Amino acid sequence: MADITIIGAGVAGLWAAWEMCKAGLTPRILDRNGPPGPHSCSWWAGGMLAPYCEGAVAEPAVVRHGKDAARAWAEVTEVTYRGSLVVALQRDRAELSRFARRTSGHRLITNELATLEPDLTTADQALFFEDEAHLDPRGALLDLTRALAAQGVSIERAEVTPEEFSGPVIDARGLAAGLPGLRGVRGEMVVLRAPDIRLGRPVRLLHPRHPLYIVPRAGGLFMLGATQIESTDKRGISARSTLELLSAAYALDPRFAEAELVETGTDLRPAFADNVPRVVVQGRVLHLNGLFRHGYLLAPALAQQAAAFLTQGIKGDMVHEN
Amino acid sequence: MRDFYGVTLNSPLMLGTAQYPSPAVLEAAFRKSAASVATVSLRREGGQGQAFWDIIRGLGVHVLPNTAGCYSAREAITTAHMAREVFETNWIKLEVIGHADTLQPDPFGLLKATEALAADGFEVFPYTTEDQVLAARLLQAGAKVLMPWGAPIGSGLGLNNRYGLKTLRAAFPEVPMVIDAGLGLPSHAADAMEMGFDAVLLNTAVAQAGDPVGMARAFALAAQAGALAHAADPMTPRDMASPSTPVVGKAWL
């Protein structure tokens, strides 16, 4: 018999389940599509654990909680601790100093860049965020699912709503939860295979019109992301976004022109007005939602706050009581 | 005071709604600056921007939809019709872009679209250059407001051609004009208002500032200061020093 029902097996629901297990509770997970896959928003993420970089535009809470993400993920999956790099093209050099002013945890590197990333020849300087990390998001979801299975928690395929249960429920359905104030923000991404190119860590290209990040993955794969459009249009990536992402990658390393275009993806990030996630308490239902572009960065902290609220009544800064 | 298609604005500050860190910051920037108009683009949302558009409507200011990102009159006209439907307003900030790098207006497409939209009942705010001949043609085509650029969109350079803007202002004293695009600092906004323009419109300078809310307020104060200064009939600069206290009667040594 389960102590708590979790609806939604995306990054938020799975982390909630993991934290419940750690708190000694037995969760039950239901998702209308079953285990994580392309139907879930988390599937399309970059997998950067880059709290300091996000601080350039995100609220301080994102940086504060994001700092614990790498350590949390390392409990269940492989985390690569090699930091991340931020670069700008020659004519946009001013963007680099602006980014440096608005973030912390970085240092400007010049000669060292060639040692860190010998392939990154288009940039002669970069901001190095040494304490940042990244992971393979799909592998991480799979590992988390396995870790839960080892605890006896499986993911049941069923379309349900919180009203159908009489006990405590965690609603982690993302946009489908239909919470007031929650909106969808369209994101588009591209995966390229370029075995000739070697990058050890995520690279962000600051560009006034087409900012881009590239996250290296195993097997010569690179994830290029991601657009951010205030729209709930879920159709496939637009030609324009494809052009922009690919052009930016090409500007960073012309060899990307020869890469194989393996995959494109589009999904909607659930977000509240301040783009900071929340645990919304509605009676016996806890909503974990609004992770925006910070699913992997903030799901552990959000789940921890939900668990602390449920088991000890501690009200963290992301907990909102209705 | 010159009005905008019958609407008198409480503040000469108009703000764009793109590129803010979050809708919450956007909302605070409008609240703290008391900006009177919000521009909003429809082009990229694929008709599915409902949630964001609701936020814009909720700001409680006049909404001025734009045709940003349109490269032809036809595209701009289609977008304008979509905007009228979504926001239930005849106002349209008409952008027909002629060059992808400089984002400068295409005067020919702009004129064509202005004609078509004005004939269709739209109240057109054409985003134009400081060119006087083009301005005359746009007015002839039915525009009753002009939006000359300060400098290329997003450049933050301020008023690039003060001479051109000054002559444009002088040439059409009855026409309400908004300096749109290129403003980077509050002093640029004050400058434009001191020259007798009726409002300023900006986006990047506020949205991409480290503190967008603080910067929005700074622009609001500067625009107001400039408007006050213009209304107060500023002194004329002169080359000779002119003491503010009389020298008559003092000993010449």
Side-chain angles (χ1 to χ4, degrees):
Chain A
M1 184 64 194
D3 300 311
I4 186 161
T5 306
I6 298 173
I7 312 177
V11 73
L14 293 179
W15 258 100
W18 185 242
E19 285 300 322
M20 293 307 139
C21 289
K22 288 204 297 192
L25 299 174
T26 307
R28 176 186 181 197
I29 312 176
L30 301 119
D31 189 295
R32 63 178 173 187
N33 293 302
H39 51 82
S40 143
C41 177
S42 328
W43 194 253
W44 305 104
M48 287 187 295
L49 303 175
Y52 299 96
C53 284
E54 290 300 313
V57 286
E59 296 290 328
V62 173
V63 184
R64 201 165 59 240
H65 295 300
K67 284 178 190 170
D68 302 325
R71 195 171 45 224
W73 276 107
E75 293 171 13
V76 290
T77 194
E78 192 189 333
V79 174
T80 309
Y81 297 91
R82 285 198 208 124
S84 56
L85 289 169
V86 175
V87 299
L89 301 177
Q90 195 69 38
R91 70 171 191 180
D92 305 320
R93 201 39 80 68
E95 301 286 328
L96 203 61
S97 32
R98 187 169 71 153
F99 197 87
R101 281 200 307 277
R102 293 179 186 179
T103 50
S104 60
H106 57 71
R107 58 191 166 86
L108 187 72
I109 58 169
T110 48
N111 297 336
E112 196 184 342
L113 183 58
T115 325
L116 278 178
E117 297 291 357
D119 271 21
L120 204 61
T121 50
T122 44
D124 55 4
Q125 55 173 255
L127 293 172
F128 184 32
F129 291 78
E130 203 163 2
D131 293 332
E132 296 190 331
H134 69 282
L135 49 73
D136 171 12
R138 295 175 189 177
L141 290 180
L142 196 66
D143 287 341
L144 189 50
T145 308
R146 281 196 197 114
L148 284 165
Q151 302 282 324
V153 182
S154 61
I155 299 164
E156 302 163 52
R157 186 191 297 262
E159 183 158 9
V160 293
T161 59
E163 293 74 40
E164 296 169 40
F165 302 89
S166 53
V169 174
I170 286 182
D171 185 341
R173 287 178 294 162
L175 277 181
L179 277 178
L182 195 70
R183 72 188 199 285
V185 182
R186 177 177 162 95
E188 301 155 303
M189 58 85 94
V190 168
V191 177
L192 297 179
R193 183 179 286 116
D196 294 347
I197 302 177
R198 293 200 191 285
L199 287 179
R201 51 191 59 71
V203 178
R204 282 180 200 238
L205 175 67
L206 302 179
H207 188 285
R209 286 196 212 174
H210 317 307
L212 162 92
Y213 58 77
I214 298 183
V215 190
R217 290 186 182 161
L221 295 179
F222 295 88
M223 184 271 191
L224 273 53
T227 58
Q228 197 168 302
I229 303 170
E230 290 287 350
S231 167
T232 48
D233 183 355
K234 260 194 90 163
R235 287 175 298 175
I237 189 170
S238 70
R240 173 183 166 163
S241 296
T242 316
L243 282 167
E244 288 175 359
L245 288 172
L246 295 180
S247 309
Y250 175 69
L252 202 61
D253 190 329
R255 288 175 299 171
F256 275 119
E258 306 307 323
E260 175 192 354
L261 208 161
V262 178
E263 185 184 12
T264 65
T266 305
D267 216 320
L268 306 178
R269 312 172 177 96
F272 291 107
D274 57 1
N275 293 342
V276 178
R278 295 178 188 176
V279 177
V280 180
V281 185
Q282 285 179 336
R284 58 184 176 77
V285 182
L286 255 59
H287 291 271
L288 271 64
N289 219 320
L291 281 144
F292 186 49
R293 50 182 281 163
H294 304 125
Y296 289 78
L297 190 64
L298 297 182
L302 195 68
Q304 279 156 22
Q305 291 207 358
F309 182 81
L310 273 176
T311 58
Q312 302 161 67
I314 298 172
K315 200 180 158 205
D317 63 324
M318 292 187 284
V319 178
H320 296 245
E321 279 180 285
N322 261 23
Chain B
M1 196 182 156
R2 290 171 283 245
D3 63 28
F4 300 87
Y5 294 100
V7 174
T8 308
L9 301 176
N10 295 329
S11 150
L13 182 66
M14 303 183 174
L15 288 177
T17 54
Q19 305 174 347
Y20 289 80
S22 70
V25 174
L26 160 77
E27 198 268 328
F30 270 84
R31 198 160 24 84
K32 294 282 181 189
S33 67
S36 56
V37 172
T39 60
V40 56
S41 92
L42 283 96
R43 190 83 192 99
R44 285 200 84 179
E45 284 72 22
Q48 304 285 315
Q50 211 54 51
F52 186 67
W53 299 333
D54 284 344
I55 292 169
I56 306 296
R57 284 193 203 94
L59 295 171
V61 301
H62 297 281
V63 177
L64 175 58
N66 68 34
T67 63
C70 291
Y71 281 80
S72 71
R74 207 170 138 185
E75 208 183 344
I77 292 166
T78 311
T79 308
H81 277 97
M82 203 170 102
R84 178 151 79 176
E85 216 162 281
V86 170
F87 290 104
E88 296 170 329
T89 174
N90 286 323
W91 280 17
I92 188 76
K93 186 195 146 189
L94 186 60
E95 279 185 35
V96 182
I97 300 301
H99 194 281
D101 263 1
T102 60
L103 299 179
Q104 68 193 91
D106 167 1
F108 307 97
L110 184 66
L111 184 60
K112 205 169 143 190
T114 301
E115 255 163 18
L117 290 170
D120 207 356
F122 281 91
E123 296 171 331
V124 183
F125 294 62
Y127 165 61
T128 181
T129 65
E130 65 277 6
D131 190 290
Q132 238 188 85
V133 179
L134 174 58
R137 293 294 189 91
L138 290 169
L139 295 168
Q140 228 169 41
K144 293 190 168 60
V145 173
L146 294 175
M147 293 190 124
W149 64 353
I153 297 173
S155 67
L157 292 169
L159 306 182
N160 233 359
N161 180 358
R162 292 177 52 85
Y163 161 76
L165 289 169
K166 225 169 168 172
T167 26
L168 181 70
R169 178 67 285 180
F172 305 98
E174 304 303 324
V175 177
M177 290 188 203
V178 186
I179 293 291
D180 173 16
L183 303 189
L185 287 168
S187 53
H188 300 152
D191 194 7
M193 296 304 296
E194 285 164 9
M195 285 166 71
F197 289 95
D198 302 281
V200 290
L201 166 56
L202 49 123
N203 191 155
T204 311
V206 164
Q208 300 273 294
D211 172 9
V213 180
M215 193 57 89
R217 209 169 123 62
F219 267 100
L221 292 170
Q224 269 165 32
L228 276 173
H230 180 73
D233 190 12
M235 66 170 285
T236 321
R238 57 183 148 227
D239 291 336
M240 270 292 290
S242 162
S244 51
T245 41
V247 286
V248 180
K250 290 206 175 147
W252 291 90
L253 297 173

